[in-house]
Amino acid sequence: MTDHLTTARIEADPEIPIIRITRDFPATPAQIFRAHTDPELYARWVGPSDLSTRIEHWDARRGGSWRFVHVDGAGEEYAFRGCFHEVREDRIVQTTTFEGMPDGVFLDTLTFEDLGDGWTRLHSQSLVDSFEAREGILAAGMETGIQQGYAKLDGLLADGAVR
């Protein structure tokens, strides 16, 4: 029996300003790909549990762009935007910018590894322009958003919402 990584492992590389995330899901690679490219599904799971997500634009194809807004209980909004550079069933490459810090751009690469037996390992890495920016991202609660978001995705997978 394989041990599955059902809590995201988040690692900050000591040599380059990159964050690596690894997480296993009880789903096929196609399901995890769909959860990352279907705007309705994405809005249902991304981010911390205390925020709702509104997709304002979503064109998940090579050369496409996207924008979404997280909204907290007080109505405060946090907008993110980016461009899709590569969208394949096994890999997504995109940029991400938090509009509250418009000079910062992350280069995100996600790959979907089929582990067999209905499990997929998501490998994600975000390259940023400095160690200071990376530390700021981590300090701003990235881990909470990642862990809670993936727990919501687990729920969608268990409910059959992601086919």
Side-chain angles (χ1 to χ4, degrees):
M1 180 173 156
T2 303
D3 288 329
H4 292 288
L5 187 62
T6 55
T7 299
R9 183 175 61 223
I10 300 171
E11 301 170 309
D13 189 294
E15 302 294 322
I16 55 176
I18 200 166
I19 300 167
R20 290 188 179 90
I21 302 168
T22 308
R23 173 67 150 73
D24 296 350
F25 293 93
T28 65
Q31 287 173 293
I32 301 305
F33 173 80
R34 183 165 178 251
H36 283 82
T37 57
D38 179 311
E40 181 183 315
L41 287 171
Y42 191 79
R44 292 174 63 188
W45 69 264
V46 71
S49 298
D50 61 345
L51 301 178
S52 63
T53 301
R54 179 179 72 241
I55 302 291
E56 297 206 335
H57 174 73
W58 197 268
D59 185 10
R61 63 178 175 84
R62 180 186 297 261
S65 61
W66 58 270
R67 183 175 193 267
F68 72 80
V69 179
H70 283 313
V71 184
D72 69 16
E76 188 77 24
E77 297 189 348
Y78 308 92
F80 296 82
R81 62 181 162 77
C83 297
F84 290 102
H85 293 266
E86 183 175 31
V87 180
R88 300 187 331 222
E89 289 184 7
D90 64 336
R91 177 177 154 107
I92 297 171
V93 179
Q94 65 188 45
T95 56
T96 299
T97 297
F98 169 51
E99 291 183 2
M101 298 175 66
D103 293 337
V105 178
F106 312 168
L107 177 60
D108 302 317
T109 303
L110 293 82
T111 57
F112 312 107
E113 177 187 356
D114 189 346
L115 298 177
D117 295 325
W119 283 84
T120 297
R121 178 164 292 161
L122 170 66
H123 299 275
S124 174
Q125 65 179 28
S126 295
L127 177 65
V128 298
D129 63 355
S130 69
F131 287 100
E132 295 78 20
R134 183 189 68 192
E135 296 311 310
I137 293 162
L138 292 169
M142 176 187 191
E143 181 169 1
T144 298
I146 294 292
Q147 300 293 5
Q148 291 179 0
Y150 288 163
K152 290 187 288 184
L153 178 52
D154 283 336
L156 291 173
L157 291 164
D159 291 345
V162 185
R163 296 195 169 113

